[in-house]
Coordinates of all heavy atoms in Angstrom, one line a residue:
K65 N 104.1 117.8 169.8 CA 105.4 118.0 170.2 C 106.1 118.7 169.0 O 106.2 118.2 168.0 CB 106.2 116.7 170.6 CG 107.4 117.0 171.3 CD 108.6 117.1 170.4 CE 109.9 117.5 171.0 NZ 111.0 117.0 170.2
F66 N 106.7 119.9 169.3 CA 107.4 120.7 168.2 C 108.8 120.6 168.6 O 109.3 121.2 169.6 CB 106.8 122.1 168.3 CG 107.2 123.0 167.1 CD1 107.3 122.4 165.8 CD2 107.2 124.3 167.2 CE1 107.6 123.1 164.7 CE2 107.5 125.1 166.0 CZ 107.7 124.5 164.8
G67 N 109.6 119.9 167.8 CA 111.0 119.7 168.1 C 111.9 120.9 167.7 O 111.6 121.6 166.8
G68 N 112.9 121.1 168.5 CA 113.8 122.3 168.2 C 114.4 122.2 166.9 O 114.7 123.3 166.2
N69 N 114.6 121.0 166.3 CA 115.2 120.9 165.0 C 114.2 121.3 163.9 O 114.6 121.6 162.8 CB 115.7 119.5 164.7 CG 117.1 119.3 165.3 OD1 118.0 120.1 165.0 ND2 117.3 118.3 166.1
A70 N 112.9 121.2 164.2 CA 111.9 121.6 163.2 C 111.6 123.1 163.3 O 111.0 123.6 162.4 CB 110.6 120.9 163.5
G99 N 110.3 121.4 172.2 CA 111.7 121.1 172.5 C 112.6 122.3 172.4 O 112.1 123.4 172.6
G100 N 113.8 122.1 172.1 CA 114.7 123.2 172.0 C 116.2 122.8 172.1 O 117.0 123.6 172.5
G101 N 116.4 121.5 171.8 CA 117.8 121.0 171.8 C 118.9 121.9 171.2 O 119.8 122.3 171.8
P102 N 118.7 122.3 169.9 CA 119.7 123.0 169.2 C 119.9 124.4 169.9 O 121.0 125.0 170.0 CB 119.2 123.2 167.8 CG 118.2 122.1 167.6 CD 117.6 121.8 168.9
Q103 N 118.7 125.0 170.3 CA 118.8 126.3 171.0 C 119.5 126.3 172.3 O 120.2 127.2 172.6 CB 117.3 126.8 171.2 CG 116.5 127.1 169.9 CD 115.9 125.9 169.2 OE1 116.2 124.8 169.6 NE2 115.1 126.1 168.2
G120 N 121.1 109.5 173.8 CA 120.2 110.5 173.2 C 119.8 111.5 174.2 O 118.9 112.4 173.8
N224 N 113.7 115.0 178.4 CA 113.6 115.1 177.0 C 112.1 115.4 176.6 O 111.2 114.9 177.2 CB 114.0 113.7 176.4 CG 113.8 113.6 174.9 OD1 112.7 113.3 174.5 ND2 114.8 113.9 174.2
A225 N 112.0 116.3 175.6 CA 110.7 116.8 175.3 C 109.8 115.8 174.6 O 108.6 115.8 174.8 CB 110.8 118.0 174.4
D226 N 110.4 114.8 173.9 CA 109.5 113.7 173.4 C 108.9 112.9 174.5 O 107.8 112.5 174.5 CB 110.4 112.8 172.5 CG 111.0 113.5 171.3 OD1 110.2 114.2 170.6 OD2 112.2 113.3 171.1
V243 N 104.4 114.1 166.8 CA 105.7 114.6 167.0 C 106.3 115.2 165.8 O 106.5 114.4 164.8 CB 106.6 113.4 167.5 CG1 108.0 113.8 167.9 CG2 106.0 112.7 168.7
L244 N 106.5 116.5 165.8 CA 107.1 117.2 164.6 C 108.6 117.2 164.7 O 109.1 117.7 165.7 CB 106.6 118.6 164.5 CG 105.2 118.8 163.7 CD1 104.1 118.1 164.5 CD2 105.0 120.2 163.6
T245 N 109.3 116.7 163.7 CA 110.8 116.7 163.8 C 111.4 117.1 162.5 O 110.7 117.7 161.6 CB 111.2 115.3 164.2 OG1 112.6 115.4 164.4 CG2 110.9 114.2 163.3
D246 N 112.6 116.8 162.2 CA 113.3 117.3 161.0 C 113.7 116.2 160.0 O 114.6 116.3 159.2 CB 114.6 118.0 161.4 CG 115.6 117.1 162.0 OD1 115.3 116.0 162.5 OD2 116.8 117.5 162.1
V247 N 112.9 115.1 160.1 CA 113.0 114.0 159.1 C 111.6 113.6 158.7 O 110.6 114.0 159.4 CB 113.8 112.8 159.6 CG1 115.3 113.0 159.5 CG2 113.3 112.4 161.0
E248 N 111.4 112.9 157.6 CA 110.1 112.6 157.1 C 109.3 111.7 158.0 O 108.1 111.6 158.0 CB 110.2 111.9 155.7 CG 110.6 112.9 154.6 CD 111.1 112.1 153.4 OE1 112.3 111.7 153.4 OE2 110.3 111.7 152.6
G249 N 110.0 110.9 158.8 CA 109.4 110.0 159.7 C 110.4 109.0 160.2 O 111.6 109.3 160.1
L250 N 110.0 107.8 160.6 CA 111.0 106.8 160.9 C 111.5 106.1 159.7 O 110.8 105.5 159.0 CB 110.4 105.8 162.0 CG 111.2 104.7 162.4 CD1 112.4 105.2 163.3 CD2 110.4 103.7 163.3
Y251 N 112.9 106.2 159.5 CA 113.4 105.6 158.3 C 113.7 104.1 158.7 O 114.2 103.8 159.8 CB 114.8 106.3 157.9 CG 114.6 107.7 157.4 CD1 115.5 108.7 157.8 CD2 113.6 108.0 156.5 CE1 115.3 109.9 157.3 CE2 113.4 109.2 156.0 CZ 114.3 110.2 156.4 OH 114.2 111.5 155.9
E252 N 113.5 103.3 157.7 CA 113.6 101.8 158.0 C 115.1 101.4 158.2 O 115.3 100.7 159.1 CB 113.1 101.1 156.7 CG 113.2 99.6 156.8 CD 111.9 98.9 156.3 OE1 111.2 99.5 155.4 OE2 111.6 97.8 156.7
D253 N 116.0 102.0 157.4 CA 117.4 101.6 157.5 C 118.3 102.8 157.5 O 119.1 103.0 156.7 CB 117.7 100.7 156.3 CG 119.1 100.1 156.3 OD1 119.6 100.1 157.5 OD2 119.7 99.8 155.3
W254 N 118.0 103.7 158.6 CA 118.8 105.0 158.7 C 120.2 104.6 159.1 O 120.4 103.7 159.9 CB 118.1 105.8 159.8 CG 118.6 107.1 159.9 CD1 118.3 108.3 159.1 CD2 119.6 107.6 160.8 NE1 119.0 109.3 159.5 CE2 119.9 108.9 160.6 CE3 120.3 106.9 161.9 CZ2 120.8 109.7 161.3 CZ3 121.2 107.7 162.6 CH2 121.4 109.1 162.4
P255 N 121.2 105.2 158.6 CA 121.2 106.4 157.6 C 121.5 105.9 156.2 O 121.8 106.8 155.3 CB 122.4 107.2 158.1 CG 123.4 106.2 158.7 CD 122.6 105.0 159.2
S257 N 119.2 104.5 154.1 CA 118.1 104.7 153.1 C 117.1 105.7 153.7 O 117.1 105.9 154.9 CB 117.5 103.3 152.8 OG 116.1 103.3 153.2
E275 N 117.5 98.8 167.8 CA 118.2 99.1 166.6 C 118.3 100.6 166.3 O 119.0 101.1 165.5 CB 117.7 98.5 165.3 CG 117.8 97.0 165.3 CD 116.9 96.3 164.3 OE1 116.7 96.9 163.3 OE2 116.4 95.3 164.6
L276 N 117.5 101.4 167.1 CA 117.4 102.8 166.8 C 118.5 103.6 167.4 O 119.1 103.3 168.3 CB 116.0 103.4 167.2 CG 114.8 102.8 166.6 CD1 113.6 103.5 167.1 CD2 114.9 103.0 165.1
A277 N 118.8 104.8 166.7 CA 119.9 105.6 167.1 C 119.5 107.0 167.5 O 118.4 107.5 167.2 CB 120.9 105.7 166.0
S278 N 120.3 107.7 168.3 CA 120.2 109.1 168.7 C 118.8 109.7 168.9 O 118.1 109.1 169.7 CB 120.9 110.0 167.6 OG 120.4 109.9 166.4
G279 N 118.4 110.7 168.3 CA 117.2 111.4 168.6 C 116.0 110.6 168.4 O 114.9 110.9 169.0
M280 N 116.1 109.5 167.6 CA 114.9 108.7 167.4 C 114.5 107.8 168.5 O 113.4 107.4 168.7 CB 115.1 107.8 166.1 CG 114.6 108.4 164.9 SD 112.9 108.8 164.8 CE 112.9 110.3 163.9
V281 N 115.5 107.6 169.4 CA 115.2 106.7 170.6 C 114.2 107.3 171.5 O 113.1 106.6 171.7 CB 116.6 106.4 171.3 CG1 116.3 105.5 172.5 CG2 117.6 105.7 170.4
P282 N 114.3 108.5 172.1 CA 113.2 109.0 172.9 C 112.0 109.2 172.2 O 110.9 109.0 172.8 CB 113.8 110.3 173.5 CG 115.0 110.6 172.7 CD 115.5 109.4 172.0
K283 N 112.1 109.5 170.9 CA 110.8 109.8 170.1 C 110.0 108.5 170.0 O 108.8 108.5 170.2 CB 111.3 110.3 168.7 CG 110.7 111.6 168.3 CD 111.2 112.0 167.0 CE 112.5 112.9 167.2 NZ 112.4 114.0 168.1
M284 N 110.7 107.4 169.5 CA 109.9 106.2 169.3 C 109.6 105.5 170.6 O 108.5 104.9 170.8 CB 110.7 105.2 168.4 CG 110.9 105.8 167.0 SD 109.6 106.8 166.2 CE 108.3 105.6 166.0
Ligands
LIG26 N1 115.7 105.5 162.0 C1 115.7 106.8 162.0 N2 114.9 107.5 161.2 C2 114.9 108.8 161.1 N3 115.8 109.6 161.8 C3 116.7 109.1 162.6 C4 116.7 107.6 162.8 N4 117.6 107.2 163.6 C5 118.2 108.4 164.1 N5 117.6 109.5 163.5 C6 118.0 110.9 163.7 O1 117.1 111.5 164.7 C7 116.9 112.9 164.3 C8 115.7 113.4 165.0 O2 115.8 113.5 166.4 P1 116.2 114.9 167.1 O3 117.5 115.4 166.4 O4 116.3 114.7 168.6 O5 115.0 115.9 166.6 P2 114.0 116.9 167.4 O6 114.7 118.1 167.8 O7 112.9 117.0 166.5 O8 113.6 116.1 168.7 C9 117.0 112.9 162.9 O9 117.3 114.2 162.4 C10 118.0 111.8 162.5 O10 119.3 112.4 162.5

Side-chain angles (χ1 to χ4, degrees):
K65 191 272 174 152
F66 197 28
N69 278 308
Q103 294 79 353
N224 174 276
D226 297 314
V243 181
L244 272 66
T245 184
D246 66 343
V247 281
E248 290 161 271
L250 178 64
Y251 294 136
E252 183 138 22
D253 186 21
W254 187 84
S257 115
E275 290 163 37
L276 297 181
S278 61
M280 268 299 139
V281 177
K283 238 174 268 308
M284 299 319 299

